[in-house]
Amino acid sequence: MSKSSAGEGTSSKAKAGTSQPAETSFKRKRGVFQKELQHMMYGFGDDPNPLPESVALMEDIVVEYITDMVHKAQDTGSNRGKLSVEDFLYLIRKDSPKLNRCKELLSMNEELKQARKAFETDEENLRKAFEADDDKLGSTE
């Protein structure tokens, strides 16, 4: 199994080397993550205003990593024909800090969804109650 993972590592490096012309023909919009990366770099100890070249390099690295992960997840999930969260969790299963953080973020996301749903339901019930009160006041006048 280690041979296949090592082979995948070299093939992704080979893909990255050959995908450079394709990437330039794709014309990826640069600077999309600039502000977020600057804040992250500062949070990890860089200068509050890092060099634009450093931010551009970080963006290239991040976009390449994400693209690589998506391609691997597509290969993993190709039997089903669509991507799922489980495909990405499978890819990072051996990197326990990443896996734990992803699970934590997914759980927080689920809690936020439930809280929003409860808030919208409460808000809708209050609106209906106020409308009913307005109807009662309108009919008594």
Side-chain angles (χ1 to χ4, degrees):
M1 183 120 167
S2 63
K3 285 186 178 183
S4 66
S5 63
E8 289 173 2
T10 56
S11 67
S12 66
K13 294 285 184 193
K15 287 180 188 176
T18 58
S19 69
Q20 290 296 342
E23 207 172 297
T24 56
S25 66
F26 177 63
K27 303 278 184 176
R28 181 178 68 80
K29 188 175 179 181
R30 292 193 171 268
V32 176
F33 304 112
Q34 183 176 3
K35 288 289 183 194
E36 292 83 0
L37 284 171
Q38 284 177 341
H39 293 299
M40 287 175 69
M41 289 169 71
Y42 177 63
F44 282 101
D46 203 343
D47 190 67
N49 296 311
L51 293 173
E53 295 86 6
S54 299
V55 177
L57 177 63
M58 286 297 297
E59 183 176 27
D60 289 342
I61 292 169
V62 168
V63 168
E64 182 179 337
Y65 176 78
I66 292 171
T67 304
D68 189 42
M69 289 295 286
V70 169
H71 288 297
K72 287 179 181 178
Q74 282 177 330
D75 293 343
T76 301
S78 64
N79 297 338
R80 293 187 311 277
K82 65 178 184 176
L83 285 176
S84 71
V85 173
E86 287 76 23
D87 295 330
F88 291 98
L89 293 176
Y90 177 78
L91 289 176
I92 61 171
R93 71 191 181 279
K94 294 180 182 176
D95 189 349
S96 59
K98 279 183 193 171
L99 183 63
N100 291 335
R101 180 67 174 149
C102 283
K103 287 182 177 181
E104 179 184 356
L105 289 172
L106 287 168
S107 132
M108 285 193 303
N109 187 40
E110 192 60 37
E111 288 177 23
L112 285 172
K113 281 182 186 178
Q114 291 174 356
R116 281 189 205 109
K117 187 176 180 181
F119 180 75
E120 289 170 0
T121 304
D122 290 345
E123 193 174 69
E124 187 176 318
N125 290 340
L126 284 173
R127 185 181 49 80
K128 287 179 182 178
F130 283 129
E131 287 175 357
D133 287 344
D134 286 345
D135 289 344
K136 287 179 186 178
L137 289 175
S139 64
T140 59
E141 290 180 35

